[in-house]
Amino acid sequence: DWRLPNARELQTLIDDGRYRPSIAPAFDTGCTAGCSVPSCSCTKDNYFWSSTSLNKNPSFAWYVNFFTGELNVTTKSNTAIVRAVRGGR
């Protein structure tokens, strides 16, 4: 039941008070013993795909930039990272 999150779901992982990466600590710990967001983030500060296509042009999709926390669109031919989620729709 793993899937690619939609843009709204992916954006809920963002913590506006954090930068590089802009992710809430609850979603970024436990990958390495003693790892925390400020010291050794488990999340790359890069672009992460969502499953949401752009309505006006389906060859584009929404992504979240975990470096800054911004939501934006780009062509699906570009490279980005994926972060799978479980359950839900």
Side-chain angles (χ1 to χ4, degrees):
D1 61 342
W2 288 97
R3 62 183 175 77
L4 197 60
N6 64 45
R8 186 174 298 156
E9 291 172 314
L10 196 56
Q11 199 171 23
T12 65
L13 304 179
I14 295 298
D15 181 339
D16 290 330
R18 298 189 180 276
Y19 177 74
R20 198 175 183 191
S22 300
I23 190 164
F27 300 104
D28 198 46
T29 58
C31 61
T32 304
C35 189
S36 65
V37 175
S39 64
C40 62
S41 178
C42 304
T43 299
K44 293 190 179 291
D45 51 0
N46 210 319
Y47 303 139
F48 283 75
W49 284 120
S50 79
S51 63
T52 308
S53 294
L54 185 63
N55 286 338
K56 294 180 181 181
N57 188 342
S59 64
F60 284 72
W62 290 93
Y63 69 87
V64 171
N65 179 345
F66 276 92
F67 184 86
T68 62
E70 295 173 318
L71 177 69
N72 212 330
V73 294
T74 190
T75 179
K76 291 179 181 177
S77 63
N78 283 336
T79 302
I81 299 170
V82 297
R83 183 180 191 117
V85 295
R86 289 185 80 172
R89 303 172 52 209

